[in-house]
Amino acid sequence: MDKRQKAEKEINYLHDLMDKVDNLKMENHINWKEKADELASQTRLFQIEYSRDSDINIKDFVQQALNLEVRVQKFRKD
């Protein structure tokens, strides 16, 4: 698996995790904040790992990760 495929797989996982956080928060589930923390950590790690890559597709994935991190931060403030 090349680096772009690996990054794509990871960003898809992060989007799935965001969906879980959304659902848990809507249900007012007791551990939604734990999942949100996990997502925030994973998005930061993703950005660190891929932010210097020159591939345009990977740059798009990094931007998506940043957007997910912003959404999680907004969730925490609510």
Side-chain angles (χ1 to χ4, degrees):
M1 181 180 320
D2 69 7
K3 192 170 186 177
R4 188 194 59 76
Q5 290 172 323
K6 182 177 179 241
E8 184 174 17
K9 183 177 178 180
E10 289 178 26
I11 197 67
N12 288 337
Y13 169 76
L14 294 175
H15 281 290
D16 291 344
L17 191 54
M18 185 71 226
D19 291 341
K20 287 180 187 174
V21 171
D22 279 336
N23 291 334
L24 290 172
K25 187 168 191 251
M26 283 192 297
E27 296 170 3
N28 202 21
H29 196 278
I30 193 160
N31 72 347
W32 78 265
K33 289 183 181 179
E34 291 173 16
K35 283 290 181 189
D37 291 343
E38 178 185 344
L39 177 59
S41 296
Q42 293 296 323
T43 57
R44 280 188 222 108
L45 291 173
F46 183 90
Q47 291 173 60
I48 290 168
E49 183 171 349
Y50 294 106
S51 64
R52 294 178 183 248
D53 201 287
S54 61
D55 184 314
I56 190 74
N57 294 313
I58 292 178
K59 287 182 181 286
D60 180 54
F61 298 151
V62 170
Q63 183 61 49
Q64 290 178 42
L66 179 60
N67 294 343
L68 289 172
E69 186 176 357
V70 168
R71 283 182 62 195
V72 169
Q73 289 173 359
K74 287 180 182 178
F75 271 10
R76 289 181 177 160
K77 291 179 182 178
D78 291 345

